[in-house]
Amino acid sequence: MIGDRRRATNPLVAKLSRFGPLSQAEIGVLEMLCSNEEQFRAHVDLLNQGDPPRSPFIVIRGMAYRYRILADGRRQILTFLLPGDFCELHTYLFKAMDHSAATLTPGRLAVIERATITTLIARHPRIGAAIWWCSMQEAAIMRERIVGLGRRSARGRVAYILCELVWRQREVGLAEDHAIRLPLTQTDIADTLGLTPIHVNRVLQQFRREGLITLVQRNLRLHDMERLQDLAELTTDYLHLTGIPSEAARYLDGLERL
Amino acid sequence: MIGDRRRATNPLVAKLSRFGPLSQAEIGVLEMLCSNEEQFRAHVDLLNQGDPPRSPFIVIRGMAYRYRILADGRRQILTFLLPGDFCELHTYLFKAMDHSAATLTPGRLAVIERATITTLIARHPRIGAAIWWCSMQEAAIMRERIVGLGRRSARGRVAYILCELVWRQREVGLAEDHAIRLPLTQTDIADTLGLTPIHVNRVLQQFRREGLITLVQRNLRLHDMERLQDLAELTTDYLHLTGIPSEAARYLDGLERL
DNA sequence: CGATCTGTTGATATCCTTCAATTTTGGTGG
DNA sequence: CCACCAAAATTGAAGGATATCAACAGATCG
């Protein structure tokens, strides 16, 4: 179905285009950046807490997640990594990872040299700004997670995570309506939302009974986005998916001409 | 007591010195950066959700916090802003704030021009890296918050926040032992940890009964850091307060000489 | 020096967890 | 292609950690 389209456009280009229109030169540079691909199978660790940081990469295809394992073995999932996401760009500044990451599906990563980034940013200030923009989007998603875990009910949290995943997949062209592939088990969702899988199951059942979603064999469809958003008390604005203010764009164009 | 020392060293210099030793030139530039100070009283809003972003600033003195107000009026505190913290450095890339911020105590901020940052980073790559380092430390703190809200008990959460605040104040030279000023009400703590103030109160009482802390009139002292850390399942490593790996330092020195 | 915010305590309620069992799904090898 | 096994999903019953409600005592501040 949409498999072909996935290969067609580079998800990094798709994502950064949201930031602002890219020049042909910039698109070229970004595609070059993604030339060194590595394949990964499902359920493979990419990063391990305690280990020294590894070189930066960009998710090209497939889905992964960052997580922390606690002393008693319980797990907290921190964020999901989707195609177009930059990872570990600056972790070389840390001595050891404070969390792990693993794949959920088979996928491909583009591995990057640290020095490549440095020169890239020096030569293309707009791409540098776009990278900052991505990292701020990431921070915005973390803030939403904190608000959700701190103050939302189980229903609100489940509604939230479904919306987030649909929106983010749309952002990089992996979905065009309100339906996505959801390669998460109910245990994964529980470990993301600070709940038990049993309770996640009951919330999902109820959503189904209320006609809000269908979820069969990892295929998710949101039937009433508006009501789910209400439950999650979330507006799409909060994730800042829509590009930058025109004033900021003018400022960056100025830098470019220097 | 330590009031004099607070004024003596610039907290930004104190913080970035943790990143790595700074040259006299770099210290000079950083002090220049903080020349434009503004005074603030306690319980004053610095940022408002929905508003367009404001210009960047650095906290020089006093304490503030970022928070989100939900539709029903409940509040979730996201992070605390301490002296030496960079704020809103790149929010100009967003159209509107997704959260607010307010002071807890009277304090001073150094307001910065956006363009100043750009040239600063271009001229001093090590300072640019230090700024990235700060923003990654911030992300690490957010991760801890997510883990805490998702998977820790009320006791663990309270233990965690006390440790975090003590460590961060020590980082910028505002405390030398395990005692700090804690300008938070129990309601503030509750809104940070996703609990009710009543329950926070009971946990604090219990900590006192167990001889873990004393907390009188906003003066906090941790008597058994080790046990509190255990309760919080937290190591100081996780916040990456200790500086960068030597390999990374060498890399940055290389950049400097270009 | 009263008004208001903060802290404290007790009783009751509830959302979510825990424990336990069963069914369904998905993957793998014969 | 089916049989088998492990993982995931589902359901029920009971328990617990934290919330809610209510009242009062202390602190703080204009």
Side-chain angles (χ1 to χ4, degrees):
Chain A
M1 30 195 305
I2 53 173
D4 296 336
R5 181 162 287 128
R6 278 191 205 176
R7 307 197 73 126
T9 38
N10 181 317
L12 179 62
V13 173
K15 186 168 181 185
L16 296 196
S17 295
R18 289 263 176 163
F19 169 80
L22 299 172
S23 70
Q24 271 312 316
E26 286 166 333
I27 292 177
V29 172
L30 291 175
E31 269 164 0
M32 192 89 78
L33 198 65
C34 297
S35 52
N36 179 25
E37 287 195 359
E38 262 182 51
Q39 297 264 0
F40 284 88
R41 294 202 286 167
H43 309 293
V44 168
D45 273 345
L46 300 173
L47 306 164
N48 267 297
Q49 59 197 70
D51 284 5
R54 50 163 286 171
S55 39
F57 59 88
I58 296 164
V59 181
I60 299 299
R61 199 173 173 170
M63 190 165 162
Y65 63 104
R66 296 176 186 275
Y67 66 99
R68 163 80 68 69
I69 297 293
L70 304 192
D72 59 3
R74 285 179 311 163
R75 178 179 66 159
Q76 175 66 44
I77 293 182
L78 298 162
T79 57
F80 294 104
L81 303 177
L82 266 54
D85 281 350
F86 277 101
C87 298
E88 314 312 296
L89 230 62
H90 292 89
T91 16
Y92 73 96
L93 297 172
F94 282 168
K95 288 174 179 161
M97 294 298 300
D98 58 37
H99 64 278
S100 306
T103 57
L104 282 163
T105 68
R108 296 204 309 270
L109 309 182
V111 180
I112 325 170
E113 291 289 319
R114 184 197 303 164
T116 315
I117 307 280
T118 314
T119 58
L120 177 77
I121 292 178
R123 273 190 215 142
H124 300 271
R126 278 176 44 124
I127 293 185
I131 290 174
W132 266 112
W133 179 71
C134 289
S135 110
M136 296 198 43
Q137 248 188 264
E138 228 180 286
I141 290 172
M142 305 256 280
R143 282 193 291 271
E144 287 307 322
R145 202 78 108 228
I146 289 174
V147 172
L149 290 171
R151 290 289 177 227
R152 279 198 272 262
S153 67
R155 271 172 73 85
R157 294 185 209 179
V158 175
Y160 164 74
I161 200 68
L162 300 181
C163 290
E164 182 198 305
L165 288 170
V166 168
W167 284 336
R168 288 181 62 191
Q169 300 223 13
R170 285 159 66 99
E171 186 194 18
V172 287
L174 289 177
E176 287 180 347
D177 47 7
H178 293 156
I180 57 166
R181 194 100 236 286
L182 187 79
L184 301 172
T185 65
Q186 295 182 354
T187 301
D188 293 332
I189 297 176
D191 286 346
T192 308
L193 301 179
L195 300 167
T196 55
I198 292 101
H199 201 65
V200 167
N201 181 286
R202 295 200 234 259
V203 171
L204 287 174
Q205 298 288 355
Q206 206 180 338
F207 281 1
R208 283 194 263 241
R209 259 178 269 127
E210 294 170 21
L212 293 174
I213 65 168
T214 47
L215 174 54
V216 243
Q217 277 151 355
R218 306 284 145 87
N219 289 305
L220 171 71
R221 177 176 291 277
L222 309 187
H223 292 119
D224 193 344
M225 189 64 140
E226 204 170 325
R227 210 162 126 47
L228 285 169
Q229 274 182 227
D230 281 358
L231 282 173
E233 287 193 55
L234 185 64
T235 61
T236 172
D237 309 346
Y238 285 168
L239 299 184
H240 307 281
L241 303 171
T242 51
I244 63 173
S246 52
E247 186 271 333
R250 277 196 301 279
Y251 173 72
L252 292 172
D253 286 344
L255 290 184
E256 201 71 18
R257 268 179 238 109
L258 294 182
Chain B
M1 28 193 305
I2 53 173
D4 298 335
R5 181 162 286 129
R6 278 190 205 175
R7 307 197 75 124
T9 37
N10 181 317
L12 179 64
V13 173
K15 186 169 181 184
L16 296 196
S17 295
R18 289 262 176 163
F19 170 79
L22 298 173
S23 70
Q24 270 313 316
E26 285 165 335
I27 292 177
V29 172
L30 291 175
E31 269 165 359
M32 191 89 77
L33 198 65
C34 297
S35 51
N36 180 24
E37 286 196 359
E38 261 181 52
Q39 296 263 1
F40 283 89
R41 295 202 286 167
H43 309 293
V44 168
D45 273 345
L46 300 173
L47 305 165
N48 267 297
Q49 58 197 70
D51 283 5
R54 51 164 286 172
S55 40
F57 60 88
I58 296 164
V59 181
I60 299 298
R61 197 172 175 174
M63 190 164 162
Y65 64 104
R66 296 176 186 274
Y67 66 99
R68 163 79 69 68
I69 297 292
L70 304 193
D72 59 3
R74 284 178 310 163
R75 178 179 68 158
Q76 175 66 44
I77 292 182
L78 298 161
T79 58
F80 293 105
L81 303 177
L82 266 55
D85 281 350
F86 276 102
C87 297
E88 314 312 297
L89 229 61
H90 292 88
T91 16
Y92 74 95
L93 296 172
F94 282 167
K95 288 175 179 159
M97 294 299 299
D98 57 37
H99 64 278
S100 306
T103 57
L104 281 165
T105 68
R108 297 203 310 268
L109 309 182
V111 180
I112 324 170
E113 290 290 318
R114 186 196 300 163
T116 314
I117 307 281
T118 314
T119 58
L120 177 77
I121 292 177
R123 274 190 215 141
H124 301 271
R126 278 176 45 125
I127 292 183
I131 290 174
W132 266 113
W133 179 71
C134 289
S135 111
M136 296 198 43
Q137 248 188 264
E138 226 181 287
I141 290 171
M142 304 257 281
R143 282 194 291 271
E144 286 309 321
R145 202 78 108 228
I146 290 174
V147 172
L149 291 172
R151 289 288 177 227
R152 279 198 273 262
S153 67
R155 271 172 73 85
R157 294 186 210 180
V158 175
Y160 164 74
I161 201 68
L162 300 181
C163 290
E164 183 200 304
L165 288 172
V166 168
W167 285 337
R168 286 180 63 191
Q169 301 222 13
R170 286 160 64 98
E171 186 193 18
V172 287
L174 289 178
E176 287 180 349
D177 47 7
H178 293 156
I180 57 166
R181 195 99 236 285
L182 187 79
L184 302 172
T185 66
Q186 295 182 355
T187 302
D188 293 333
I189 298 175
D191 285 345
T192 308
L193 301 179
L195 300 167
T196 55
I198 293 102
H199 201 65
V200 168
N201 181 284
R202 295 201 235 260
V203 171
L204 287 174
Q205 298 287 354
Q206 206 181 339
F207 281 2
R208 283 194 263 241
R209 257 178 270 127
E210 294 170 22
L212 292 174
I213 64 168
T214 48
L215 174 55
V216 242
Q217 279 152 351
R218 305 284 146 88
N219 289 307
L220 171 72
R221 176 175 291 277
L222 309 187
H223 293 119
D224 193 344
M225 189 64 141
E226 204 170 326
R227 210 162 126 47
L228 284 168
Q229 273 182 230
D230 281 358
L231 282 174
E233 287 195 55
L234 185 64
T235 61
T236 173
D237 309 348
Y238 285 168
L239 299 184
H240 307 281
L241 304 171
T242 51
I244 64 173
S246 52
E247 186 271 333
R250 277 196 300 281
Y251 173 72
L252 293 172
D253 287 344
L255 289 184
E256 202 71 19
R257 268 179 236 109
L258 292 184

